[in-house]
Structures are given as C-alpha cells and as structure tokens.
Amino acid sequence: MSKIDKQDQQEAISQRIRYRLQAAGARFHANDNISAFIEDGELDALQEEVQAKLKGVLESLVIDTANDHNTQETAKRVAKMFVREVFRGRYVSMPPCTEFPNVEHLNELMIIGPITVRSACSHHLCPIIGRVWVGVLPNEASNLIGLSKYARLIDWVMTRPQIQEEAVSQIADLLMQKLQPDGLAIVMEADHFCMHWRGVKDSNSKMTNSVMRGSFLTNPDLRKEFLSLMRK
C-alpha cells in the first residue's frame, strides 16, 4: 500500500468529500445537495463517522452510554436518522421523474396539495412539519409529471436542514425547471418546533409563505383563484 493510500485511509471521509467540493468550487450549505461528490460506499463510511462523533457529543453531555440501556445505541440510531432519513436529500441524487408532453394542450390551472412535508430548521435542527400547495398553469410546450412525483421532488428538497423561506424558493426553482409552465405558485404552511419546544415555547405559531412565478406574478385574478381554491 502506498503512502498516499495509507494517508487516505486515516483521513475522515467527510474531509475527503469536503476536498472534492472545495476543489470544484461547489457550495455545500446545509440545504444543498452534494450527492455528485459522494462515491460508492462512502455514505456508509460517513454514517459511521457521524456515529462516532455523536457518541462524543453524548459523552460531553455527561450521559453514561455504557450503562444506560436507553442510550447505548443512541449514537448509531441518530447517525442513521440524519444520513439516511431526515437529511437524505443532501446525500442522494434527485428521484426519477418521468416527464410527459402536454399532448392535450392543457392550459388551465392545476392545484396539487396539500402535500405533507417534514424538515429540520438549519438553526437548531428542530423539526419543521407542514403542508405545501402547488399551482401550475401549463402551456402547450410544458412538461407534465405524475401527481406522486410532486411529493417525491418536494420531499427531496425538504429532507435537508432548511429555512422555510429558502425551501419554497428551491421547490419553485426545481419545478419550474422540470415543468416549464407559464406560471407556478408555491404556498407552504408549517409548524416550527424551534418555536414550540424551546425559546418562546409558543405552540400556536405557524409560518406561511409563498413564491409566485410567471403568470401568477402578473395576473392577480389567477393568483386569487389559486389562493381561493387552495383553501378549499
């Protein structure tokens, strides 16, 4: 084994991935997808690294993981949860999404939702749980996708540490790219557990925000129709 290979083995997998991102000049914020920079087998190694570091966090919190039967496997469970479940949208490529031509030349408003979404706040990693509505105004050249694909694509964006205002913009950018419609509207309403569980501990607060693109920006009647039908 060469000296370089030995050095690679000793180096943390997260650092190797970070080097690739930095060399490519790629951003790797919490809500970015970095799957293109992760090689086969490295996700398993990354999960093991996260597990080891979470064990250190528990020890720093003065939790006796050696003798407390409730926390002996906590680091392993939480590492799997972060890498494979709640933040998997950072580490896996976009789900398959077959696009169909608009052969019937549909040009009327379509509304999809509410779609349940789950994420975590980038600031405290507390849960964000809410609903999303999508309004689409297609044209003759637009692509169409199946209803389930909206949920899959939105889940891919949301399973990363997010700020709600940025999440709706990311969803809008992705769907505009996929569908190429005349107009697109996204509304998200969510509970933030960084408000419910800590800080002011207000269990009634919700956040609602929207992104309008294309004809939804220029046509107030279309925007009004979407918002009215959405609530029904």
Side-chain angles (χ1 to χ4, degrees):
M1 184 181 293
S2 70
K3 182 178 180 181
I4 293 176
D5 290 337
K6 289 180 181 178
Q7 185 177 5
D8 281 348
Q9 280 194 350
Q10 294 171 356
E11 190 175 54
I13 189 65
S14 62
Q15 192 59 51
R16 270 187 265 170
I17 296 169
R18 187 184 303 267
Y19 285 151
R20 290 182 204 130
L21 287 156
Q22 291 172 334
R27 202 181 80 163
F28 50 102
H29 291 185
N31 60 356
D32 288 330
N33 178 272
I34 60 170
S35 60
F37 299 90
I38 299 175
E39 298 178 358
D40 290 344
E42 288 187 335
L43 210 54
D44 292 333
L46 185 65
Q47 183 176 323
E48 290 178 6
E49 180 184 332
V50 173
Q51 177 180 332
K53 291 183 176 180
L54 281 168
K55 187 175 185 297
V57 170
L58 293 172
E59 290 172 354
S60 293
L61 290 170
V62 199
I63 295 174
D64 183 3
T65 57
N67 298 297
D68 177 5
H69 62 280
N70 289 316
T71 58
Q72 285 174 351
E73 298 292 314
T74 294
K76 180 179 180 180
R77 287 190 292 263
V78 175
K80 180 182 178 182
M81 177 187 74
F82 280 154
V83 175
R84 305 290 183 171
E85 297 173 328
V86 296
F87 297 159
R88 72 180 182 279
R90 299 197 75 235
Y91 306 115
V92 300
S93 56
M94 184 173 62
C97 182
T98 303
E99 299 155 17
F100 303 96
N102 185 5
V103 294
E104 297 296 330
H105 297 167
L106 301 174
N107 62 357
E108 299 292 336
L109 173 62
M110 300 187 299
I111 299 176
I112 301 95
I115 297 169
T116 300
V117 293
R118 299 169 184 84
S119 189
C121 169
S122 298
H123 295 162
H124 297 96
L125 302 186
C126 288
I128 299 172
I129 299 176
R131 302 182 294 172
V132 170
W133 291 263
V134 180
V136 180
L137 187 69
N139 57 49
E140 291 184 4
S142 293
N143 298 316
L144 303 177
I145 61 175
L147 288 178
S148 66
K149 300 303 187 291
Y150 286 94
R152 291 180 187 277
L153 291 172
I154 290 171
D155 181 69
W156 182 62
V157 172
M158 294 303 294
T159 49
R160 310 169 194 175
Q162 282 286 8
I163 299 301
Q164 184 173 334
E165 305 93 307
E166 296 178 1
V168 292
S169 291
Q170 283 189 316
I171 291 168
D173 290 343
L174 178 60
L175 292 179
M176 283 295 291
Q177 177 187 351
K178 283 287 178 186
L179 303 174
Q180 298 295 314
D182 275 348
L184 180 76
I186 308 287
V187 171
M188 182 183 297
E189 175 187 83
D191 290 292
H192 290 246
F193 281 71
C194 55
M195 286 277 288
H196 297 347
W197 195 20
R198 56 160 301 282
V200 296
K201 298 182 180 177
D202 183 347
S203 60
N204 296 313
S205 295
K206 292 180 185 292
M207 181 176 182
T208 303
N209 61 326
S210 65
V211 171
M212 304 287 169
R213 300 279 172 84
S215 52
F216 284 93
L217 278 175
T218 59
N219 186 336
D221 291 334
L222 177 64
R223 187 164 61 248
K224 183 178 179 181
E225 180 183 4
F226 166 67
L227 294 172
S228 175
L229 291 173
M230 183 195 85
R231 289 304 179 186
K232 293 182 180 180

